[in-house]
Amino acid sequence: DSEKPNPEKIAKLKAEADAPVPNKASSLQLARFYYNRGNARSALGRLHDATDDANKALEAARRAGDAQFLGRAEQFAGLQYLLAGDPKKALDVFERQLHTAERRNAQGYVFNGIRNIVMILLQMGDLAQAEAYLQRSFTMIHKARTSGIPGWRRNYALRGQSWEAEVEYAHAIVYEARGQYQEAEKSYRRAELRKRQSAEQIAKVPNAAPISQIYAAADGLVLNEARMKVKLGRLAEAEADARRALLARLKDGGKYSSATPKFIMGLVSPLVEEGRYKEAEQLVRVALEINNTLGISGDSQVTVAYLSRLGSILNHQHKRGEAAAVYRTIEEVTAMCRSAITSSMR
């Protein structure tokens, strides 16, 4: 509560989101530009603009012929389609990423691609196909562990923990879909530990992702552990995990970061299950205030989801008038979105 917004930091993010396309840039420079600008736009909830930049980054990366950056651009594009609520297009992107990665021997994107595909297939209700992809991941990681081929051995030494984390993550998702919450919890925990162990290794890789990004992914896995503990009725443990993840993100990125509301909402769930509705309401309002301060659109999918959660918590407290006002806001936003989509199709 004591932390105040940093106007310079917010202005910098908005400037990055509105940066003009550079003149006389190479294909690889353009790919990196659209990737960076798209990330800034995504952080501000401008998902349509972010997806557009992701596709332009993909086109430029293909022209550049840089296999590693192409994999990163494909990953970003798939995630944007997921955020925008279009799993079919996301699945298409990740399947193409998997094909490209296997053809160009970019093993790291194979494991990440399979994990994302498993997640999408389960969202679409296709458990059998998700399990088939998981088995494919098991086969690949066994090859990575045991191969005598120098390239595989060298890459496993640098990236092995990260690959193992992706395989364990995919396994946890499947366990959860089967209702095997205890097994899922253990698998998410192993994935978290693998992810943290990978940070120092990944730092030695050319064009590596920032270490803070790796730790953020590990903290995201902690939220998954907390969610399993909620399902298992271990609410105090779930709350402790969610607080641990949130405090880590606050220490790393501060309150006014686009990633922070996700972790605030992760703490809301165990509090609601514990019947601590007043605290949960306060936290949801903080998440909404952060989004508003950062300039994230009020009609963004994430903001609407937070408003829906707030309405539910207000109902639990018998604050019917306040809940009704929240639901009216959601209806108005939804109506405006439908109208905008209809106009764009004419």
Side-chain angles (χ1 to χ4, degrees):
D1 287 342
S2 63
E3 184 176 338
K4 303 302 178 187
N6 184 333
E8 292 181 3
K9 184 177 179 181
I10 296 170
K12 182 175 181 291
L13 181 62
K14 290 180 178 178
E16 289 172 359
D18 293 321
V21 181
N23 294 321
K24 299 180 180 179
S26 68
S27 292
L28 184 57
Q29 287 171 331
L30 277 176
R32 292 184 186 279
F33 166 79
Y34 284 121
Y35 175 83
N36 292 329
R37 190 175 74 173
N39 269 285
R41 290 177 167 185
S42 181
L44 292 172
R46 293 165 54 180
L47 297 183
H48 177 78
D49 292 338
T51 303
D52 184 55
D53 272 357
N55 286 322
K56 289 176 180 176
L58 267 178
E59 293 171 10
R62 289 193 184 105
R63 291 197 302 270
D66 187 308
Q68 286 298 320
F69 195 79
L70 175 59
R72 189 178 296 183
E74 286 171 328
Q75 182 184 61
F76 177 59
L79 292 174
Q80 292 316 298
Y81 279 122
L82 274 181
L83 288 171
D86 195 338
K88 289 185 177 180
K89 283 189 178 178
L91 181 61
D92 179 59
V93 171
F94 285 124
E95 286 181 333
R96 280 190 281 116
Q97 179 197 37
L98 191 58
H99 175 73
T100 302
E102 289 178 327
R103 182 164 50 85
R104 299 193 181 191
N105 208 30
Q107 298 96 336
Y109 290 113
V110 170
F111 296 110
N112 179 265
I114 289 177
R115 192 260 295 168
N116 281 304
I117 288 169
V118 167
M119 180 176 64
I120 294 167
L121 288 170
L122 290 174
Q123 288 178 358
M124 297 169 69
D126 195 340
L127 178 59
Q129 194 172 356
E131 289 178 331
Y133 271 100
L134 179 61
Q135 289 301 319
R136 188 170 168 183
S137 189
F138 289 157
T139 300
M140 289 289 292
I141 198 64
H142 178 74
K143 179 180 179 181
R145 292 169 185 156
T146 61
S147 176
I149 299 172
W152 272 96
R153 300 307 304 158
R154 185 171 56 251
N155 279 323
Y156 186 79
L158 286 173
R159 300 176 173 89
Q161 291 298 322
S162 179
W163 297 348
E164 296 278 3
E166 292 289 352
V167 175
E168 199 68 66
Y169 193 171
H171 202 177
I173 297 168
V174 171
Y175 275 137
E176 184 178 353
R178 292 174 182 157
Q180 296 173 268
Y181 302 130
Q182 192 167 19
E183 291 84 353
E185 177 211 331
K186 292 176 182 177
S187 224
Y188 280 129
R189 174 64 174 164
R190 287 192 290 268
E192 178 213 340
L193 294 176
R194 293 276 198 182
K195 184 64 72 174
R196 294 193 193 282
Q197 290 167 7
S198 75
E200 290 186 11
Q201 291 177 321
I202 295 298
K204 303 172 186 175
V205 176
N207 301 313
I211 288 182
S212 63
Q213 187 174 314
I214 296 169
Y215 285 131
D219 291 330
L221 287 162
V222 175
L223 288 187
N224 291 343
E225 294 170 50
R227 190 175 66 252
M228 295 306 97
K229 290 174 181 177
V230 167
K231 291 179 182 292
L232 291 164
R234 291 154 52 195
L235 301 181
E237 293 178 60
E239 181 188 339
D241 278 350
R243 286 189 186 278
R244 172 164 66 94
L246 174 56
L247 288 170
R249 290 299 89 217
L250 289 170
K251 182 178 179 180
D252 183 65
K255 176 179 176 180
Y256 290 95
S257 163
S258 59
T260 300
K262 168 189 170 182
F263 289 87
I264 292 174
M265 297 302 292
L267 178 56
V268 166
S269 293
L271 292 181
V272 167
E273 292 300 319
E274 290 173 321
R276 292 157 62 184
Y277 302 125
K278 184 176 180 180
E279 293 170 75
E281 177 192 340
Q282 290 172 335
L283 286 173
V284 178
R285 291 190 186 280
V286 169
L288 287 165
E289 185 264 328
I290 292 171
N291 277 2
N292 184 59
T293 300
L294 292 175
I296 294 175
S297 175
D299 62 359
S300 70
Q301 189 176 33
V302 66
T303 299
V304 172
Y306 294 172
L307 285 170
S308 178
R309 188 65 159 154
L310 177 61
S312 173
I313 292 168
L314 290 169
N315 265 327
H316 281 307
Q317 297 178 84
H318 306 289
K319 297 180 179 179
R320 309 301 185 198
E322 292 180 55
V326 169
Y327 289 131
R328 280 196 297 273
T329 299
I330 294 173
E331 288 175 0
E332 290 167 4
V333 168
T334 305
M336 285 191 293
C337 290
R338 282 198 299 265
S339 177
I341 291 170
T342 303
S343 297
S344 67
M345 293 174 64
R346 287 174 182 166

